Each structure stands twice: as structure tokens, then as C-alpha cells.
Amino acid sequence: MEAHGDEDMVAEPTDQQMTQALEEVVEIILDSGMYPEPQKNKFTRSQFDLYDFLLEHRDTSYMVEMYVNSLSMNQEWALETRRDRERKWVEAMLIEHLSDSDIVYNHAVENAE
């Protein structure tokens, strides 16, 4: 069989694969605070750090307010409601920020292989 030189080429991810990759990357970041997800007993260099992202893109008073609420609230449901609302806000920020990123593209390519 004759080689054509395109055996090593990676197919471009489909829109569906890119959408799925974006959802997965955002979920990993929200769950672990970084991407890629840290692994036990193995050093992983962060490509994306949620802490740094929030410091750059979010008013720090939100973080201080959440911290104060976590210390002083007697009603767990109120803190949980606030956390869920903030998580949705940060998720929307991450989706907007990462939608055309190399991180998502590379994740989609890895999943397509």
C-alpha cells in the first residue's frame, strides 16, 4: 500500500465534539479548580487555574462575601443556594472565555481519537 503522507493528520473535531469538549472542560474546572484535573500522586501542570481566572475576571468582593457567608450563616440551604447561583455565573463566564480556546480544541481532539 502506498503512503500518502496524511496518515499522521488529525481530523478536525465536529461542532458536536467541540460542544461536548467545552462542557467537559468547564465541568472539570468547576469540580477541581483547574484543568487538567489533578491526579493523586502525580504532578499535573495546570493549563487553566480557576483561582487566577476569578482574580482577573471577577470582583473579589464576591469571594469575600461567600467566605463570610460560609462562616456566619446558620442556615445551610441559604449558603447552598448562593453557591449554586455563583457556580452558574462562573460557569457562564468560563463558557464564554473558553469557547474558542486551545484547551477545548485539544480536549476534543483527544476524545475523538
Side-chain angles (χ1 to χ4, degrees), residues 94-106:
L94 289 171
I95 288 170
E96 181 180 337
H97 183 78
L98 294 168
S99 61
D100 292 323
S101 70
D102 289 341
I103 292 172
V104 171
Y105 177 82
N106 292 336

Side-chain angles (χ1 to χ4, degrees), residues 34-97:
M34 63 184 282
Y35 182 86
E37 187 173 21
Q39 296 179 4
K40 190 173 186 174
N41 298 327
K42 183 178 178 185
F43 174 76
T44 304
R45 183 170 303 281
S46 174
Q47 296 175 29
F48 186 92
D49 187 281
L50 183 58
Y51 181 85
D52 293 337
F53 176 78
L54 291 175
L55 281 177
E56 290 178 23
H57 295 91
R58 190 83 160 140
D59 180 354
T60 55
S61 67
Y62 285 99
M63 292 172 259
V64 173
E65 187 176 331
M66 287 290 290
Y67 179 71
V68 170
N69 284 339
S70 72
L71 294 174
S72 62
M73 295 187 90
N74 293 332
Q75 298 172 335
E76 250 337 278
W77 64 268
L79 182 58
E80 186 175 322
T81 301
R82 177 65 187 263
R83 185 192 68 227
D84 292 344
R85 186 174 66 232
E86 289 298 318
R87 186 177 171 102
K88 287 178 184 175
W89 180 259
V90 172
E91 179 180 15
M93 290 173 64
L94 289 171
I95 288 170
E96 181 180 337
H97 183 78

Side-chain angles (χ1 to χ4, degrees), residues 8-38:
D8 294 332
M9 293 184 64
V10 177
E12 288 292 314
T14 65
D15 289 343
Q16 182 179 4
Q17 289 169 325
M18 289 296 290
T19 299
Q20 181 178 351
L22 178 60
E23 291 171 2
E24 290 172 0
V25 168
V26 168
E27 184 177 327
I28 289 168
I29 292 169
L30 287 172
D31 289 346
S32 67
M34 63 184 282
Y35 182 86
E37 187 173 21

